[in-house]
Amino acid sequence: MQHALLPTMRRLAALALCALLSLAFVGCASEEPAAQTQPQTLEIGENAGDVYALSLSNSSGKSVVSMAVKLPGDDSFSANLMSSDAHLKDGEDAIVYIPRQASDDGTYVVDLKVVFGDGGVSVLHHLDLEEFSAATLLLNGKIGYVTYQGKTANRMVSTLDLQTYYYNLEDPTAAARDEAEEEEEKRRLEKLEEDLKATDEQQSADASASSDGTKATTEENEQTRVTTDDTQGMDIEDDPLEVSHEDSGED
């Protein structure tokens, strides 16, 4: 009887061991960290036909909510290349598809209008897409510009000076207005510094006056005490009653 039960017991033990090993495997698998999904690169524009695929990194400090392009020969900007719910946040990357359309002189220079989430608008003029395939979007005050590795120059190129020129050219009062705003801010800071200085001086003067008043009061009290002591001494020395009494005794 015992010999008959041995195979059955062995099978049960083997099944239990398999079950334990399966549970251990499942437990180890559940402890593995979940794979982190990389954020998808935003695609802007239509990837169809002959297009440039511009890799654009947003380092402007603001979110971009709209982009439009003015191709060579066009009089106005295109419709928004971004979908209505798309946002290119600061620090994120995008692929911008721009139709490859040459001008009469064979160049591929375009203008790119960028609208930010706070309502600010920057127009990046005269971008030669034959010169670069990747760029970084930046802001200097109200002026948007890009930096890129130039193919012809074989170095990093910044369009800040060029965009500043166009910015002032489009709005002749822009430079004067910006300068006026800077001067107003400078005057505001100077006035604030003057007010703080005047407050400190007034507090020092009040503290000095309080100290002088306390000193004067102390000196007056000291003078009064000395005068009182002198007067009391004279009264005791020259007491007429005491003198009269001594004279009476001698008689």
Side-chain angles (χ1 to χ4, degrees):
M1 182 69 176
Q2 293 178 353
H3 293 290
L5 292 175
L6 285 176
T8 302
M9 295 177 63
R10 288 173 181 172
R11 284 196 297 270
L12 291 175
L15 290 174
L17 179 60
C18 290
L20 289 174
L21 290 175
S22 299
L23 291 174
F25 178 78
V26 172
C28 292
S30 63
E31 292 177 359
E32 293 181 358
Q36 295 183 355
T37 58
Q38 296 293 332
Q40 293 184 349
T41 301
L42 180 65
E43 294 190 358
I44 299 174
E46 186 178 355
N47 185 13
D50 190 11
V51 297
Y52 287 101
L54 174 62
S55 298
L56 186 65
S57 177
N58 181 17
S59 296
S60 65
K62 301 179 181 181
S63 292
V64 176
V65 297
S66 175
M67 283 189 187
V69 64
K70 183 191 291 185
L71 299 174
D74 291 349
D75 296 328
S76 59
F77 283 94
S78 68
N80 183 12
L81 300 177
M82 301 176 64
S83 60
S84 59
D85 59 346
H87 289 77
L88 179 59
K89 298 179 180 179
D90 180 51
E92 293 183 345
D93 301 328
I95 302 295
V96 185
Y97 298 109
I98 301 175
R100 185 184 178 93
Q101 180 174 311
S103 62
D104 294 337
D105 59 2
T107 59
Y108 295 86
V109 176
V110 302
D111 293 346
L112 185 66
K113 181 170 69 174
V114 179
V115 180
F116 298 99
D118 61 358
V121 179
S122 288
V123 178
L124 283 64
H125 296 271
H126 208 79
L127 300 180
D128 188 352
L129 298 181
E130 291 288 291
E131 274 294 305
F132 59 94
S133 59
T136 300
L137 175 65
L138 298 162
L139 265 179
N140 181 30
K142 300 176 182 178
I143 302 174
Y145 67 102
V146 294
T147 59
Y148 58 86
Q149 179 69 31
K151 295 178 181 178
T152 301
N154 195 26
R155 60 177 176 81
M156 288 301 297
V157 176
S158 171
T159 67
L160 177 57
D161 290 342
L162 178 64
Q163 305 311 325
T164 302
Y165 166 78
Y166 277 106
Y167 177 76
N168 294 329
L169 188 65
E170 290 178 345
D171 185 359
T173 64
R177 183 177 63 251
D178 292 345
E179 184 177 352
E181 290 177 355
E182 291 177 0
E183 288 295 327
E184 178 63 25
E185 179 66 12
K186 182 179 179 180
R187 285 194 294 269
R188 187 185 71 82
L189 293 176
E190 290 177 349
K191 180 65 166 56
L192 179 62
E193 186 176 354
E194 291 176 357
D195 292 344
L196 291 174
K197 184 178 180 181
T199 301
D200 291 342
E201 291 177 350
Q202 184 61 43
Q203 290 177 349
S204 298
D206 293 343
S208 178
S210 176
S211 176
D212 292 343
T214 303
K215 182 178 180 182
T217 302
T218 303
E219 291 178 351
E220 291 177 358
N221 292 338
E222 182 67 19
Q223 183 64 33
T224 301
R225 186 183 65 80
V226 171
T227 303
T228 303
D229 291 344
D230 292 345
T231 303
Q232 291 176 351
M234 291 175 61
D235 291 341
I236 294 172
E237 182 178 355
D238 300 331
D239 188 351
L241 294 177
E242 184 177 350
V243 172
S244 300
H245 178 71
E246 291 176 354
D247 292 343
S248 176
E250 291 178 354
D251 294 339

